[in-house]
Amino acid sequence: MERKIEDNEFEDQDFDHRRDYRTVIKEKFYIIWDKSSLLGEPATLNHVITEKDQKLLDHIFEVDIETYKIPHTVILQGAAGIGKTTLLRKAMLEWANGNLYQQFTYAFYLSGREISQVKEKSFAQLISKNWPRSEGPIERILSKPSNLLFIIDSFDELDFSFEEPEFALCNDWTQKQPVSFLISSLLRKVMLPESFLLVTARPTAWKRLKPLLHKPHCVKLPGLSKNARMDYIHHLLKDKTWAMDGICSIRKNERLFNMCHVSHVCKVICTCLKEQVKNGGNIAVICQTTTALFTCYICSLFSQIDWGVTTLPNETLVRSLCQAAAEGIWTMNHILYKKNLRKHELTRDDISVFLHVKVLQKDTEYGNCFAFTHLHIQEFFAALFYFLRENPEEKDYPIKRFENLHLLLESNCFHDPHLEQMKCFLFGLLNKERVRQLEETFKFTISMDVKGELLMCLEALEKGDSYLSQLRFMDLLHCLYETQDKEFITQALSYFPKIVVKVDEEAQLHIYSFCLKHCYSLQAIKPTAMAELKTMLDLKPIAKTCFDDAIAGIIHCWKDLFSVLHKNESLKEMDLYESRLNKSLMNILSEELSHPRCKLQKLLFGSVCFLNNCQDFSFLTTCHTLTHLDLKNVDLEDNGLESLCQNLISQRCKLRVLRLESCDLNVYRCLKLAEALKSNKSLVFLNLSTNNLSNDGVKSLCQTLENPNCHLERLSLASCGITKAVCEALSLAITKSKRLTHLRLADNILEDEGIGLLSDALRYPQCTLQSLVLRCCCVTSVGSKFLSDALLNNRSLIHLDLGSNKLQDSGIKLLCHILQQPTCTIQELELMGCILTSDSCLDLAPVIVNNPNLWSLDLGNNNLEDAGLHILCEALKDPSCHIQRLGLENCGLTPVCCQDLLSLFSDNQSLIQMNLMKNALNYDTIKNLCTVLRSPTCKIKFLALDNKEILGEKIKKFVYDVRTNNPQLVIKPHYYNTESECWWKYF
């Protein structure tokens, strides 16, 4: 009974403590709320935001539909100024009032800005700052961590590196530690692992934050929707005669319009427009780039103050502020603490002018903290730093990371989003008008030497050919647009002869077309064009004029983009892969292709979707330089086939290569195409693979091949649903054709009987066939016998592909007997996946030694094993061997073959390419091979090995040593194909 009274007393005490703590929290956050209230905002907007955010808060700690668990760590992610801190303060108030998160007995609010200034404390001390009494029941509170919620506000403002090793982390909440260790321990779930975390961060901090967290659940705070932005802009500019022009101008600039999803920035932009209209400025010009608008805004801040009271900052002071801004952007540190001011030689008196004009603001709670009034203001001054910094070449110490322009240009929006807007401002400040405005405002001259540095960096950047370089290039076009400097854009793009862009939004089209119309050195371009641009349609039609202007602007931009066809006389190739083309685009494209100065040779429509029956190929008769047309994976409609055939018949058509792979062709369509080809005098290559042509369709083609006027030299009919029944017609066509040199019949069920009929044509003395591809055609040793007999008399065939057929050892024996004959002309032989064993190597070895013509042999996907390789190696080391290229992928090789490979690499004088992928070669084997390969006298120039063998931690240094000592040798996890092996791809 006595014990029960004690328990009741403890419960009463706990209740009192919880009640008192909530009272203190309410008092504190009501004061903060009053200080930071959004004065002057429309009541309706505040109501909508509050209602939306309240709903978001309510559902943050609900069961995750993917994991079916309640998340213990939630990241509330949103842009700078979007209201994350306001929302968390509201959450604390709601919790203290008993309206939210009542599953948590205690909620603790930790401000990133505040705790960054604390050096050392225990975790108990850190969270007890708001405790209503001198001592609280901290031990009882922390003994039930599953009832606790820790809110870390503004992760971006934590001035910690978070590089602590795991062993240095702390789980003792009574022990004094550097505060950075404590926060790191909390985030990494070492401290109170059962507790709940709610952390706010900007999207740019995700890369830094994610490695610290265990299974985080991310919730995005989106800000104003597109329609809400339009409403808010309309509200801010209401009752103005020029309001609609302002709305349309902001809407046209995607970057500017996106900034408006933060209501504060939206208000800044509209305030700036009002000021400029008042002073007679042009809204359209000001909204053209973000740099133009923010230059006007910042200059207006300095122009409105009384210089009798405040002194204009000199160049040194502005440079120091810009340097602090730049370093902060690079390090994602947006607070200027005392140490930051000292580091950049700034005092409180120095920054007073920036506080006065509202470039900087002082924290209302922490008097020794300063910040730029908005991230975009910091980004602007950070960009200005590169114009004001000292010449890097004149420094006697290494430049810092944030000073390196080359590193900045190497960044891209995917991996380094925090640098994106600063980089845009940097390019935008190259504009002469922007510089003039700043010089008039600050009363000092701004050097433009950075322009030359940027061009040098761009020239170096072009050498990169990776996927990342494509990301960088997309970013570059956005940056170049900011300059609005036609000469600079022309010079910058002269370093990029091949360009890849994907246009799936109206704003992208606007930017890319503006830049590319000033490009005159293109050789190849790949623009993925999405005709159905619905950006405007996603917004409610506030004004029909905006919509009409957008439609007209889209058409104009497409004309500018496609103008590269006549402005770049060196442009030979355009690839419209996966584009969506409508009639308007096809008309623009046809007009450009017909331009007298258009010199295009290759036009690729791979996987293009032609909308509303717009398959018009009349440009084939008007573009006299066009020789290649690729329609792979295009659903060729009846009208499209009709247009294609009509233009192929024309004498003005100069097409030499036509690729119709996977174009939904059938027997009827094949008949129409075959008829058109009878009159065509230019076509030499035709790929009809992966179409259901069947035997009847191919027979119609055979009649065309027999026609003396047919100029076809290369024909691919892989996977066309043909059988042995058509082989007699094919055989006759081969014998009668005077020009056919390459025939691909892969993936058709021809069987031995069909091969026998084709072999008859190979015996014909006038046979012109040089390459025959019979991969996966159901050929056995019987078919091999037919081919062997034919090759005895054939004098034209140099490339034979019999891969993926059941030839077996017996079929290869027959073939090898002929391959040894001095009259055999075969140079490239492909026998991948032919069910061969080491016994076949006994027959292949004499061929390797005795055939002076054979230089390429691929035996991949056969079970040759180490014994077979030993036989081959002995032959390959013979001085009479002429093999240059050998494929042994997935041949059952093990470390036992190491010595044979070592002697082969040392003694062979002809072998330069080899494929050893998918074999069980271990670490020691690769290590030993590297000792031979590292020698500059080694003849091997290309070696294909698996990624695990090239990139394994243990072997990396040996591979690196090979590349250093024998730079002519390339080691990669893929195999090069020769033009003759895959002519249907490369021609």
Short mmCIF file of all heavy atoms in Angstrom, two decimals, residues 622-672:
data_model
loop_
_atom_site.label_atom_id
_atom_site.label_comp_id
_atom_site.label_asym_id
_atom_site.label_seq_id
_atom_site.Cartn_x
_atom_site.Cartn_y
_atom_site.Cartn_z
N THR A 622 13.83 16.86 -101.70
CA THR A 622 14.25 18.27 -101.68
C THR A 622 15.58 18.48 -100.97
O THR A 622 16.25 19.48 -101.20
CB THR A 622 13.18 19.14 -100.98
OG1 THR A 622 12.91 18.62 -99.68
CG2 THR A 622 11.90 19.15 -101.80
N CYS A 623 15.94 17.54 -100.09
CA CYS A 623 17.26 17.63 -99.42
C CYS A 623 18.23 16.75 -100.19
O CYS A 623 18.26 15.53 -100.02
CB CYS A 623 17.15 17.16 -97.96
SG CYS A 623 18.69 17.33 -97.05
N HIS A 624 19.04 17.38 -101.03
CA HIS A 624 19.87 16.62 -101.98
C HIS A 624 21.11 16.02 -101.35
O HIS A 624 21.82 15.24 -102.00
CB HIS A 624 20.26 17.52 -103.16
CG HIS A 624 19.09 18.10 -103.87
ND1 HIS A 624 18.11 17.32 -104.45
CD2 HIS A 624 18.70 19.40 -104.07
CE1 HIS A 624 17.19 18.09 -104.99
NE2 HIS A 624 17.51 19.36 -104.77
N THR A 625 21.39 16.34 -100.09
CA THR A 625 22.56 15.75 -99.42
C THR A 625 22.17 14.58 -98.53
O THR A 625 23.05 13.84 -98.07
CB THR A 625 23.27 16.81 -98.55
OG1 THR A 625 22.34 17.35 -97.60
CG2 THR A 625 23.83 17.93 -99.41
N LEU A 626 20.86 14.40 -98.26
CA LEU A 626 20.41 13.37 -97.33
C LEU A 626 20.60 11.97 -97.94
O LEU A 626 19.98 11.64 -98.95
CB LEU A 626 18.94 13.59 -96.97
CG LEU A 626 18.43 12.77 -95.78
CD1 LEU A 626 19.10 13.19 -94.49
CD2 LEU A 626 16.92 12.91 -95.66
N THR A 627 21.43 11.16 -97.27
CA THR A 627 21.72 9.81 -97.78
C THR A 627 21.28 8.71 -96.82
O THR A 627 21.18 7.56 -97.22
CB THR A 627 23.22 9.65 -98.06
OG1 THR A 627 23.95 9.91 -96.85
CG2 THR A 627 23.69 10.61 -99.14
N HIS A 628 21.05 9.05 -95.54
CA HIS A 628 20.69 8.05 -94.53
C HIS A 628 19.37 8.42 -93.87
O HIS A 628 19.22 9.53 -93.37
CB HIS A 628 21.77 7.95 -93.44
CG HIS A 628 23.04 7.31 -93.87
ND1 HIS A 628 23.82 7.80 -94.91
CD2 HIS A 628 23.70 6.22 -93.39
CE1 HIS A 628 24.88 7.02 -95.05
NE2 HIS A 628 24.84 6.07 -94.14
N LEU A 629 18.42 7.48 -93.84
CA LEU A 629 17.15 7.68 -93.13
C LEU A 629 16.90 6.47 -92.25
O LEU A 629 16.84 5.33 -92.74
CB LEU A 629 15.99 7.88 -94.11
CG LEU A 629 14.60 8.06 -93.47
CD1 LEU A 629 14.56 9.35 -92.64
CD2 LEU A 629 13.51 8.11 -94.55
N ASP A 630 16.75 6.71 -90.95
CA ASP A 630 16.54 5.63 -89.98
C ASP A 630 15.15 5.78 -89.36
O ASP A 630 14.87 6.78 -88.70
CB ASP A 630 17.62 5.69 -88.90
CG ASP A 630 17.56 4.51 -87.94
OD1 ASP A 630 16.54 3.78 -87.95
OD2 ASP A 630 18.52 4.30 -87.18
N LEU A 631 14.28 4.79 -89.57
CA LEU A 631 12.93 4.81 -89.01
C LEU A 631 12.71 3.64 -88.04
O LEU A 631 11.58 3.17 -87.86
CB LEU A 631 11.90 4.75 -90.13
CG LEU A 631 11.81 5.99 -91.03
CD1 LEU A 631 11.02 5.69 -92.29
CD2 LEU A 631 11.21 7.15 -90.29
N LYS A 632 13.78 3.18 -87.41
CA LYS A 632 13.71 2.03 -86.51
C LYS A 632 12.68 2.26 -85.40
O LYS A 632 12.62 3.32 -84.79
CB LYS A 632 15.08 1.76 -85.90
CG LYS A 632 15.12 0.55 -84.98
CD LYS A 632 16.52 0.33 -84.43
CE LYS A 632 16.55 -0.87 -83.50
NZ LYS A 632 17.91 -1.11 -82.94
N ASN A 633 11.86 1.24 -85.16
CA ASN A 633 10.83 1.27 -84.10
C ASN A 633 9.78 2.34 -84.31
O ASN A 633 9.16 2.80 -83.34
CB ASN A 633 11.49 1.45 -82.72
CG ASN A 633 12.26 0.22 -82.29
OD1 ASN A 633 11.85 -0.90 -82.55
ND2 ASN A 633 13.39 0.44 -81.65
N VAL A 634 9.57 2.73 -85.55
CA VAL A 634 8.49 3.68 -85.87
C VAL A 634 7.29 2.88 -86.39
O VAL A 634 7.44 2.01 -87.24
CB VAL A 634 8.94 4.71 -86.93
CG1 VAL A 634 7.75 5.49 -87.46
CG2 VAL A 634 9.97 5.65 -86.34
N ASP A 635 6.12 3.18 -85.86
CA ASP A 635 4.90 2.53 -86.35
C ASP A 635 4.54 3.17 -87.68
O ASP A 635 3.79 4.16 -87.73
CB ASP A 635 3.79 2.70 -85.32
CG ASP A 635 2.53 1.94 -85.71
OD1 ASP A 635 2.57 1.20 -86.71
OD2 ASP A 635 1.50 2.11 -85.04
N LEU A 636 5.05 2.62 -88.74
CA LEU A 636 4.86 3.20 -90.07
C LEU A 636 3.42 3.00 -90.52
O LEU A 636 2.96 1.88 -90.71
CB LEU A 636 5.83 2.56 -91.06
CG LEU A 636 6.14 3.34 -92.33
CD1 LEU A 636 6.76 4.70 -92.00
CD2 LEU A 636 7.09 2.54 -93.21
N GLU A 637 2.71 4.10 -90.68
CA GLU A 637 1.30 4.04 -91.08
C GLU A 637 1.18 3.95 -92.60
O GLU A 637 2.16 4.12 -93.33
CB GLU A 637 0.59 5.30 -90.56
CG GLU A 637 0.63 5.43 -89.04
CD GLU A 637 0.28 6.84 -88.56
OE1 GLU A 637 0.00 7.70 -89.41
OE2 GLU A 637 0.31 7.06 -87.34
N ASP A 638 -0.03 3.68 -93.07
CA ASP A 638 -0.24 3.52 -94.51
C ASP A 638 0.15 4.79 -95.26
O ASP A 638 0.80 4.73 -96.31
CB ASP A 638 -1.70 3.16 -94.80
CG ASP A 638 -2.03 1.74 -94.36
OD1 ASP A 638 -1.09 0.91 -94.27
OD2 ASP A 638 -3.21 1.45 -94.09
N ASN A 639 -0.26 5.94 -94.72
CA ASN A 639 0.07 7.20 -95.41
C ASN A 639 1.59 7.45 -95.37
O ASN A 639 2.16 8.02 -96.30
CB ASN A 639 -0.69 8.37 -94.78
CG ASN A 639 -0.18 8.69 -93.38
OD1 ASN A 639 -0.16 7.83 -92.53
ND2 ASN A 639 0.21 9.93 -93.16
N GLY A 640 2.22 7.01 -94.28
CA GLY A 640 3.66 7.18 -94.18
C GLY A 640 4.40 6.31 -95.18
O GLY A 640 5.35 6.76 -95.83
N LEU A 641 3.96 5.05 -95.33
CA LEU A 641 4.58 4.16 -96.31
C LEU A 641 4.34 4.67 -97.72
O LEU A 641 5.24 4.62 -98.58
CB LEU A 641 4.00 2.74 -96.16
CG LEU A 641 4.58 1.71 -97.10
CD1 LEU A 641 6.04 1.43 -96.76
CD2 LEU A 641 3.79 0.39 -97.05
N GLU A 642 3.13 5.19 -97.96
CA GLU A 642 2.81 5.75 -99.28
C GLU A 642 3.75 6.91 -99.61
O GLU A 642 4.30 7.01 -100.72
CB GLU A 642 1.36 6.22 -99.29
CG GLU A 642 0.84 6.68 -100.64
CD GLU A 642 0.69 5.54 -101.63
OE1 GLU A 642 0.42 4.41 -101.20
OE2 GLU A 642 0.88 5.80 -102.84
N SER A 643 3.94 7.81 -98.63
CA SER A 643 4.83 8.95 -98.83
C SER A 643 6.27 8.50 -99.06
O SER A 643 6.97 9.01 -99.94
CB SER A 643 4.76 9.88 -97.61
OG SER A 643 5.70 10.92 -97.70
N LEU A 644 6.70 7.50 -98.27
CA LEU A 644 8.07 6.99 -98.41
C LEU A 644 8.29 6.39 -99.80
O LEU A 644 9.29 6.70 -100.48
CB LEU A 644 8.31 5.93 -97.33
CG LEU A 644 9.70 5.30 -97.29
CD1 LEU A 644 10.76 6.35 -96.98
CD2 LEU A 644 9.74 4.19 -96.24
N CYS A 645 7.35 5.57 -100.25
CA CYS A 645 7.49 4.91 -101.56
C CYS A 645 7.47 5.93 -102.71
O CYS A 645 8.26 5.83 -103.66
CB CYS A 645 6.38 3.88 -101.75
SG CYS A 645 6.55 2.45 -100.66
N GLN A 646 6.57 6.91 -102.62
CA GLN A 646 6.49 7.93 -103.68
C GLN A 646 7.81 8.68 -103.82
O GLN A 646 8.24 8.98 -104.94
CB GLN A 646 5.36 8.91 -103.35
CG GLN A 646 3.96 8.38 -103.61
CD GLN A 646 2.90 9.39 -103.25
OE1 GLN A 646 3.20 10.49 -102.78
NE2 GLN A 646 1.63 9.02 -103.45
N ASN A 647 8.44 8.98 -102.71
CA ASN A 647 9.69 9.75 -102.76
C ASN A 647 10.89 8.88 -103.12
O ASN A 647 11.86 9.38 -103.70
CB ASN A 647 9.92 10.45 -101.42
CG ASN A 647 8.97 11.62 -101.21
OD1 ASN A 647 9.16 12.69 -101.77
ND2 ASN A 647 7.92 11.40 -100.42
N LEU A 648 10.83 7.58 -102.81
CA LEU A 648 11.91 6.68 -103.23
C LEU A 648 11.94 6.52 -104.75
O LEU A 648 13.00 6.33 -105.35
CB LEU A 648 11.73 5.31 -102.56
CG LEU A 648 12.09 5.20 -101.08
CD1 LEU A 648 11.69 3.84 -100.52
CD2 LEU A 648 13.58 5.44 -100.86
N ILE A 649 10.76 6.60 -105.34
CA ILE A 649 10.67 6.45 -106.80
C ILE A 649 11.29 7.64 -107.52
O ILE A 649 11.85 7.51 -108.62
CB ILE A 649 9.18 6.30 -107.21
CG1 ILE A 649 8.64 4.96 -106.71
CG2 ILE A 649 8.99 6.42 -108.71
CD1 ILE A 649 7.13 4.80 -106.87
N SER A 650 11.23 8.81 -106.91
CA SER A 650 11.69 10.04 -107.56
C SER A 650 13.17 9.99 -107.88
O SER A 650 13.99 9.51 -107.09
CB SER A 650 11.41 11.25 -106.65
OG SER A 650 11.99 12.41 -107.19
N GLN A 651 13.54 10.52 -109.04
CA GLN A 651 14.94 10.58 -109.45
C GLN A 651 15.73 11.56 -108.59
O GLN A 651 16.96 11.49 -108.52
CB GLN A 651 15.03 11.01 -110.93
CG GLN A 651 14.37 10.03 -111.89
CD GLN A 651 15.03 8.66 -111.86
OE1 GLN A 651 16.24 8.55 -111.90
NE2 GLN A 651 14.21 7.61 -111.75
N ARG A 652 15.01 12.46 -107.92
CA ARG A 652 15.70 13.45 -107.07
C ARG A 652 16.08 12.88 -105.71
O ARG A 652 16.83 13.51 -104.96
CB ARG A 652 14.82 14.68 -106.89
CG ARG A 652 14.64 15.50 -108.17
CD ARG A 652 13.69 16.66 -107.93
NE ARG A 652 12.33 16.20 -107.64
CZ ARG A 652 11.35 16.99 -107.23
NH1 ARG A 652 11.56 18.28 -107.04
NH2 ARG A 652 10.15 16.50 -106.99
N CYS A 653 15.56 11.71 -105.37
CA CYS A 653 15.89 11.07 -104.09
C CYS A 653 17.32 10.52 -104.14
O CYS A 653 17.66 9.75 -105.03
CB CYS A 653 14.91 9.95 -103.79
SG CYS A 653 15.29 9.03 -102.29
N LYS A 654 18.15 10.90 -103.17
CA LYS A 654 19.56 10.49 -103.13
C LYS A 654 19.84 9.51 -101.98
O LYS A 654 21.00 9.25 -101.65
CB LYS A 654 20.47 11.71 -102.97
CG LYS A 654 20.26 12.79 -104.02
CD LYS A 654 20.53 12.27 -105.41
CE LYS A 654 20.31 13.37 -106.47
NZ LYS A 654 20.45 12.85 -107.85
N LEU A 655 18.78 8.96 -101.40
CA LEU A 655 18.93 8.10 -100.23
C LEU A 655 19.74 6.84 -100.57
O LEU A 655 19.47 6.16 -101.55
CB LEU A 655 17.54 7.70 -99.71
CG LEU A 655 17.43 7.37 -98.23
CD1 LEU A 655 17.78 8.58 -97.38
CD2 LEU A 655 16.01 6.91 -97.92
N ARG A 656 20.74 6.55 -99.72
CA ARG A 656 21.56 5.35 -99.90
C ARG A 656 21.30 4.31 -98.82
O ARG A 656 21.44 3.11 -99.06
CB ARG A 656 23.05 5.73 -99.90
CG ARG A 656 23.49 6.54 -101.11
CD ARG A 656 24.93 6.99 -100.99
NE ARG A 656 25.86 5.88 -100.79
CZ ARG A 656 26.32 5.08 -101.75
NH1 ARG A 656 25.90 5.27 -103.01
NH2 ARG A 656 27.16 4.11 -101.48
N VAL A 657 20.92 4.78 -97.63
CA VAL A 657 20.71 3.87 -96.50
C VAL A 657 19.30 4.08 -95.95
O VAL A 657 18.93 5.21 -95.62
CB VAL A 657 21.75 4.11 -95.38
CG1 VAL A 657 21.44 3.26 -94.17
CG2 VAL A 657 23.15 3.84 -95.89
N LEU A 658 18.52 3.00 -95.84
CA LEU A 658 17.17 3.07 -95.30
C LEU A 658 17.01 1.97 -94.26
O LEU A 658 17.14 0.78 -94.56
CB LEU A 658 16.13 2.90 -96.41
CG LEU A 658 14.65 2.91 -95.97
CD1 LEU A 658 14.30 4.22 -95.28
CD2 LEU A 658 13.74 2.67 -97.18
N ARG A 659 16.71 2.38 -93.01
CA ARG A 659 16.55 1.43 -91.91
C ARG A 659 15.08 1.42 -91.49
O ARG A 659 14.56 2.42 -90.99
CB ARG A 659 17.44 1.82 -90.74
CG ARG A 659 18.92 1.93 -91.10
CD ARG A 659 19.74 2.44 -89.93
NE ARG A 659 19.74 1.49 -88.85
CZ ARG A 659 20.63 0.50 -88.72
NH1 ARG A 659 21.58 0.35 -89.62
NH2 ARG A 659 20.56 -0.33 -87.71
N LEU A 660 14.42 0.28 -91.72
CA LEU A 660 13.01 0.12 -91.39
C LEU A 660 12.82 -1.03 -90.39
O LEU A 660 11.83 -1.75 -90.43
CB LEU A 660 12.19 -0.14 -92.65
CG LEU A 660 12.17 1.00 -93.69
CD1 LEU A 660 11.46 0.57 -94.96
CD2 LEU A 660 11.52 2.24 -93.11
N GLU A 661 13.75 -1.20 -89.50
CA GLU A 661 13.69 -2.26 -88.51
C GLU A 661 12.55 -2.02 -87.53
O GLU A 661 12.38 -0.91 -87.03
CB GLU A 661 15.04 -2.31 -87.76
CG GLU A 661 15.18 -3.48 -86.82
CD GLU A 661 16.56 -3.52 -86.18
OE1 GLU A 661 17.43 -2.73 -86.60
OE2 GLU A 661 16.76 -4.34 -85.27
N SER A 662 11.75 -3.06 -87.27
CA SER A 662 10.63 -2.99 -86.32
C SER A 662 9.67 -1.86 -86.68
O SER A 662 9.33 -1.02 -85.85
CB SER A 662 11.15 -2.81 -84.89
OG SER A 662 12.01 -3.86 -84.53
N CYS A 663 9.21 -1.82 -87.92
CA CYS A 663 8.30 -0.77 -88.39
C CYS A 663 6.91 -1.29 -88.70
O CYS A 663 6.14 -0.64 -89.42
CB CYS A 663 8.89 -0.08 -89.62
SG CYS A 663 10.20 1.08 -89.23
N ASP A 664 6.59 -2.47 -88.17
CA ASP A 664 5.25 -3.04 -88.35
C ASP A 664 4.94 -3.27 -89.83
O ASP A 664 3.80 -3.09 -90.27
CB ASP A 664 4.20 -2.13 -87.71
CG ASP A 664 2.87 -2.86 -87.48
OD1 ASP A 664 2.91 -4.09 -87.30
OD2 ASP A 664 1.82 -2.20 -87.49
N LEU A 665 5.94 -3.67 -90.59
CA LEU A 665 5.72 -4.00 -92.00
C LEU A 665 5.15 -5.41 -92.11
O LEU A 665 5.51 -6.30 -91.35
CB LEU A 665 7.03 -3.91 -92.79
CG LEU A 665 7.72 -2.53 -92.82
CD1 LEU A 665 9.00 -2.60 -93.64
CD2 LEU A 665 6.78 -1.49 -93.40
N ASN A 666 4.28 -5.62 -93.08
CA ASN A 666 3.71 -6.94 -93.34
C ASN A 666 3.89 -7.28 -94.81
O ASN A 666 4.58 -6.56 -95.55
CB ASN A 666 2.24 -6.99 -92.93
CG ASN A 666 1.44 -5.85 -93.55
OD1 ASN A 666 1.78 -5.37 -94.64
ND2 ASN A 666 0.39 -5.41 -92.87
N VAL A 667 3.27 -8.36 -95.24
CA VAL A 667 3.43 -8.81 -96.63
C VAL A 667 2.97 -7.73 -97.61
O VAL A 667 3.67 -7.40 -98.56
CB VAL A 667 2.61 -10.11 -96.87
CG1 VAL A 667 2.72 -10.53 -98.34
CG2 VAL A 667 3.11 -11.21 -95.97
N TYR A 668 1.79 -7.16 -97.37
CA TYR A 668 1.24 -6.17 -98.29
C TYR A 668 2.16 -4.95 -98.39
O TYR A 668 2.45 -4.46 -99.48
CB TYR A 668 -0.15 -5.75 -97.81
CG TYR A 668 -0.73 -4.57 -98.55
CD1 TYR A 668 -1.20 -4.70 -99.86
CD2 TYR A 668 -0.79 -3.31 -97.95
CE1 TYR A 668 -1.71 -3.62 -100.54
CE2 TYR A 668 -1.31 -2.23 -98.62
CZ TYR A 668 -1.77 -2.38 -99.92
OH TYR A 668 -2.28 -1.30 -100.61
N ARG A 669 2.60 -4.46 -97.25
CA ARG A 669 3.47 -3.28 -97.26
C ARG A 669 4.82 -3.60 -97.89
O ARG A 669 5.42 -2.74 -98.54
CB ARG A 669 3.66 -2.78 -95.83
CG ARG A 669 2.39 -2.16 -95.23
CD ARG A 669 2.61 -1.67 -93.82
NE ARG A 669 1.46 -0.92 -93.34
CZ ARG A 669 1.40 -0.32 -92.16
NH1 ARG A 669 2.43 -0.39 -91.33
NH2 ARG A 669 0.32 0.33 -91.80
N CYS A 670 5.28 -4.82 -97.68
CA CYS A 670 6.54 -5.21 -98.28
C CYS A 670 6.44 -5.24 -99.81
O CYS A 670 7.38 -4.87 -100.52
CB CYS A 670 6.95 -6.60 -97.76
SG CYS A 670 8.65 -7.05 -98.16
N LEU A 671 5.29 -5.65 -100.31
CA LEU A 671 5.07 -5.66 -101.76
C LEU A 671 5.16 -4.24 -102.33
O LEU A 671 5.76 -4.01 -103.38
CB LEU A 671 3.70 -6.26 -102.09
CG LEU A 671 3.55 -7.79 -101.92
CD1 LEU A 671 2.09 -8.19 -102.01
CD2 LEU A 671 4.36 -8.51 -103.00
N LYS A 672 4.53 -3.28 -101.64
CA LYS A 672 4.56 -1.88 -102.09
C LYS A 672 5.98 -1.33 -102.05
O LYS A 672 6.40 -0.61 -102.97
CB LYS A 672 3.64 -1.03 -101.20
CG LYS A 672 2.17 -1.40 -101.27
CD LYS A 672 1.29 -0.32 -100.69
CE LYS A 672 1.24 0.88 -101.61
NZ LYS A 672 0.24 1.88 -101.18
#
